[in-house]
Amino acid sequence: MSDDKFPGWHGTTIIGVRKGGKVVIAGDGQVSVGQTVMKGTARKVRRLSPGGMDVVAGFAGSTADAFTLLERLETKLEAVPGQLARAAVELAKDWRTDKYLKNLEAMLIVTDGKDLFVITGAGDVLEPEHDVTAIGSGGNFALAAGRAMMDTEKDAETIARDAMKIAADICVYTNGNLTVETIDA
């Protein structure tokens, strides 16, 4: 979407946290246009099961674009079951080079419980250094809050929820209506 056609669209906040044998992806439910909240209960974290292998994915950006990417990721995972890293790299490669896909505007956080990645349209497959990653309008707020809590006694889900609460308190494009998915490492 070009900004001249849809000015002021703002997405969401998604965080991924790996700690204590669990990986949690949490996302808020807000979709805003300019100063208006269009929807407060969108579901931007999903559990996929391609080939019987559980994968959790969260997305920020255009919903239609994100669903297209999630479908492509499922296809890649069906071709290489249990190999999230390989499927993510193949998706990123297609996303960067394919004439249609390279125009998609979204980002993904994906995990199979073992690996945790951010996949971007620039061809990046990024694994977080500190077991916390975040994307979207309030992503930097959630990332900073999550990183600050990693050395505490809190578990992965509590860190994700608390970081999202902090992001929602700071970022006007983030709310407290969370979807949270957990997967064992």
Side-chain angles (χ1 to χ4, degrees):
M1 269 185 261
S2 66
D3 286 342
D4 57 330
K5 289 183 185 176
F6 297 99
W9 281 93
H10 291 280
T12 190
T13 303
I14 305 292
I15 188 168
V17 178
R18 177 175 39 211
K19 185 176 180 184
K22 304 270 185 204
V23 183
V24 174
I25 296 182
D28 78 316
Q30 185 164 311
V31 178
S32 304
V33 179
Q35 299 174 352
T36 304
V37 175
M38 296 297 288
K39 184 172 184 174
T41 58
R43 189 169 171 262
K44 300 171 233 166
V45 176
R46 310 241 175 217
R47 185 173 291 269
L48 313 172
S49 294
M53 303 295 293
D54 276 346
V55 172
V56 175
F59 63 87
S62 167
T63 303
D65 291 356
F67 280 123
T68 299
L69 294 167
L70 291 175
E71 288 173 8
R72 292 285 183 119
L73 179 61
E74 281 186 300
T75 301
K76 299 290 184 192
L77 285 165
E78 286 169 356
V80 290
Q83 297 181 52
L84 180 60
R86 184 172 172 194
V89 168
E90 290 297 318
L91 175 63
K93 185 169 58 171
D94 288 355
W95 192 355
R96 176 131 172 97
T97 60
D98 183 89
K99 183 177 177 180
Y100 167 74
L101 291 179
K102 71 180 176 181
N103 293 317
L104 299 183
E105 296 179 2
M107 291 179 78
L108 304 175
I109 294 178
V110 298
T111 185
D112 59 1
K114 181 182 69 159
D115 292 317
L116 176 63
F117 298 116
V118 173
I119 308 172
T120 76
D124 300 314
V125 178
L126 307 169
E127 186 171 16
E129 289 182 331
H130 303 283
D131 292 328
V132 180
T133 192
I135 57 174
S137 300
N140 287 335
F141 304 116
L143 177 62
R147 291 258 319 259
M149 289 184 261
M150 287 300 285
D151 290 333
T152 68
E153 297 296 320
K154 294 180 178 186
D155 64 8
E157 183 172 341
T158 303
I159 291 171
R161 286 181 181 278
D162 288 354
M164 290 296 292
K165 182 179 182 329
I166 290 167
D169 286 346
I170 298 170
C171 178
V172 297
Y173 303 111
T174 304
N175 71 18
N177 295 329
L178 300 182
T179 301
V180 179
E181 290 284 347
T182 302
I183 192 167
D184 291 330

